């Protein structure tokens, strides 16, 4: 039976359009193989949307996303838009998309591939076998808490304010996702907070602890975020699933990503209670190499695999993409970010062609 899907593509800025083109081509090949009928819609977000419409998340974009089965996002942002007022910044568009679709759970896997052990800046014995899933809360915490703003006091001095706030229900729902994620993995969950200093973190720790009896098969631990950052580079193999708030998750997921050698390899899924999820690389728009055909498209391609697995329930198609990525790496094909001596340096497009060649062979 043919399955029909509507997928919204958000290429965004910088290297976004280049890696999205590769990912869309890979998805088309997979669609043919698995008899999936996919209708693609492309919409504007970030700097590209600002240039075209004056806003980073036009209403039509959010509407198109809402009507689709899943959203594939590349990356947003660039020097050009860095000095605009905050409501017009590309990042505001991304945050608006997360909030608008209710995407409270962000899954960021960091798994080291044996082929890329030498690309890590850490010793092989430290990173070998690393397989971590960071579950980051994505629509709350200090990113969205009120009050926020730059306020001028009576003396004329300005004060910048953000508020880190979590309600019990927000903690519980991300906690449940994290426990369930851990159940499908190594059955170890580490909750990261700053409960020694922050009240919001104390509540976080209390609620996560209260959820634990519902998941007797999971070994729960807690770490303060500073210690967690240190442990991630000291002995990352101690971690299986990590759950944490928005800001800590932003920071720790970059650190976890780099264990694997390049942030250019890592996909992510952002999911809500219902409705379409957003699948995107963990990396940003890399404006320094944009338009030069140097970008690594593999995180975007692996985001397609995550989309097939989590949103479209096509695990075999997801497996095939992940296998193709391993095969091109086995052949020695590399983009600049994961290059090592003796390997073959490819551009973004050529890496896409290599994947398609493997998929069609
Ligand atoms: C990420 C990014 C975003 C974030 C930025 C671009 C708003 O760093 O997805 O990790 O801080 O969440
Ligand atoms: Mg980040």
């Amino acid at each position: 039976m043919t399955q029909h899907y509507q997928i919204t593509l958000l290429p965004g800025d910088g290297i976004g359009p280049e890696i999205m083109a590769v990912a869309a081509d890979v998805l088309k090949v997979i669609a043919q193989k698995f008899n999936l009928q996919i209708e693609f819609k492309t919409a504007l977000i970030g700097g590209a949307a600002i240039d075209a419409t004056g806003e980073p998340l036009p209403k039509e974009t959010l509407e198109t996303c809402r009507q689709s089965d899943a959203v594939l996002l590349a990356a947003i942002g660039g020097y050009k838009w860095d000095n605009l007022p905050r409501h017009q910044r590309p990042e505001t568009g991304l945050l608006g998309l997360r909030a608008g679709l209710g995407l409270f759970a962000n899954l960021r896997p960091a798994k080291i591939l044996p082929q890329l052990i030498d690309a890590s800046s850490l010793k092989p014995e430290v990173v070998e076998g690393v397989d971590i899933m960071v579950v980051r809360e994505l629509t709350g915490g200090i990113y969205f808490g009120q009050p926020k703003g730059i306020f001028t006091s009576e003396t004329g001095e300005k004060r910048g304010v953000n508020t880190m706030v979590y309600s019990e229900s927000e903690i519980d729902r991300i906690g449940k996702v994290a426990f369930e994620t851990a159940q499908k993995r190594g059955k170890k969950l580490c909750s990261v907070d700053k409960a020694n200093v922050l009240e919001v973190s104390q509540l976080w720790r209390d609620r996560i602890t209260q959820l634990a009896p519902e998941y007797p098969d999971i070994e729960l631990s807690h770490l303060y975020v500073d210690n967690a950052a240190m442990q991630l580079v000291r002995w990352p193999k101690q971690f299986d699933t990590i759950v944490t708030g928005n800001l800590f998750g932003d920071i720790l997921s970059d650190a976890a990503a780099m264990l694997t050698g390049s942030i250019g390899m890592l996909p992510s899924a952002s999911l809500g209670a219902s409705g379409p999820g957003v699948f995107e690389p963990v990396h940003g728009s890399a404006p320094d190499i944009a338009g030069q055909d140097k970008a690594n498209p593999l995180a975007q391609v692996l985001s397609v695999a995550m989309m097939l697995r989590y949103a479209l329930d096509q695990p075999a198609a997801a497996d095939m993409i992940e296998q193709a990525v391993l095969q091109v790496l086995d052949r020695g094909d590399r983009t600049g970010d994961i290059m090592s001596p003796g390997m073959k340096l490819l551009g973004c497009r050529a890496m896409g062609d290599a994947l398609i060649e493997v998929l069609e062979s």
Side-chain angles (χ1 to χ4, degrees), residues 324-337:
V325 168
L326 294 180
Q327 277 183 46
V328 293
L329 294 174
D330 278 336
R331 291 188 350 182
D333 293 345
R334 299 285 188 276
T335 44
D337 57 318

Side-chain angles (χ1 to χ4, degrees), residues 76 91 94-95 98 108 136 138 143 250 254 280 282:
I76 53 101
E91 289 78 5
L94 180 58
L95 297 179
R98 290 172 180 170
R108 296 189 162 184
R136 169 189 177 194
L138 202 60
Y143 272 53
D250 178 46
D254 267 29
E280 60 177 307
V282 171

